[in-house]
Amino acid sequence: MNTPLRITAFTAGLAAAFGLALGVGHATGSDPAPKPASHAGRDGAAPADGHGDHTGEHAGHDTGGGPAAEHLPGGLQISERGYTLSVDSPFVTAGSPTDLKFRILGADGKPVTAYQQQHEKELHLIVAPRDLSTFQHLHPTLAADGTWSAPTAVPAAGEYRVFADFTPAGAAEGLTLGADLHAAGDLRPAPLPETGRTVTVDGYTVTLGGDLTPGRSNHLTLSVGKDGAPVTDLQPYLGAYGHLVALRAGDLAYLHVHPDTTTPGPEIGFTTTAPSGGSYRLFLDFEHQDTVHTAAFTVTADGTAAPATGDQH
């Protein structure tokens, strides 16, 4: 693309998601507790090729009664392909701990109770505000009656989007559903955080390489360093050496990302496609010394959309 990837001011609304898979840490407001050393996949073995098949875009699928939606990013709908995300209460109080409960309902209106594992979990839950200033990647627990629950707390008043990324048992592919969450309190909207190609989080430096060209398959690299030296002993997190989530500013479409790195650093590679020009927030989760860290970037995809090439879902 003609202009470099950059962190820009953001004034958009969080309203949807689009299936990108990989990330979470401290400075961006993700899971606050360090991950224990016994986390699955932490034996140092290289993750299997093909990790990152979280589904976020479902072009051509029936979206619940209407004609098939072409090239529609994931997370933009509360219902899709006969499944519905039902949040028990969409109202929370900013700064107060809450047990977020929800269900995935099938076409018969009954809660789904059986799921396939994706990235070592049966369901991934993302919570982000409309201004994309924070990011939480949660792993809720499933009760026998099909109720999911996840302890969390939103840091500030405002409008949030909840994304459930999952694959029902027996389904050929997964999907990402999105729903709104409202946090009472003194609302203070903020612009999109600005960063350059290098950000610092918890003493680590993470450098972003590559550009986003709308409508084309793009390769992005994120290099991790600490104390002036490259980090070459990253630990697997959710089955890969990095987990990346991308949300489009304005509607929070959830971008589908494919990891293509099988070595423990310092460079982590991903392949993804931006469906349009505009600003995107990238959240990279990586694990080192038994702790998950999150580096966040604001990226601009400029130019006119071109015919898609490469792998796109």
Side-chain angles (χ1 to χ4, degrees), residues 92-95 129 131 154-160 182-189:
V92 298
T93 300
D131 63 9
V154 298
E159 298 297 307
Y160 288 75
H182 316 283
D186 184 15
L187 177 59
R188 298 175 182 268

Side-chain angles (χ1 to χ4, degrees), residues 99-194:
D99 191 15
L100 184 61
K101 294 185 177 183
F102 62 95
R103 297 168 183 82
I104 304 299
L105 305 180
D108 58 1
K110 297 180 180 179
V112 177
T113 58
Y115 297 82
Q116 300 178 41
Q117 279 202 358
Q118 298 289 332
H119 311 317
E120 301 182 346
K121 300 292 181 179
E122 291 185 322
L123 186 145
H124 297 260
L125 188 70
I126 303 298
V127 180
R130 289 185 182 275
D131 63 9
L132 291 174
S133 58
T134 63
F135 171 84
Q136 297 184 59
H137 184 164
L138 308 174
H139 298 117
T141 57
L142 177 63
D145 67 353
T147 299
W148 290 94
S149 59
T152 187
V154 298
E159 298 297 307
Y160 288 75
R161 190 73 174 171
V162 176
F163 306 110
D165 195 348
F166 63 94
T167 302
E173 61 181 353
L175 68 159
T176 304
L177 300 179
D180 290 332
L181 194 66
H182 316 283
D186 184 15
L187 177 59
R188 298 175 182 268
L192 190 68
E194 295 186 9

Side-chain angles (χ1 to χ4, degrees), residues 243-267:
H243 193 280
L244 186 64
V245 168
L247 299 175
R248 181 171 60 187
D251 65 358
L252 286 192
Y254 197 85
L255 191 63
H256 193 159
V257 176
H258 299 274
D260 45 34
T261 297
T262 58
T263 57
E267 185 175 280

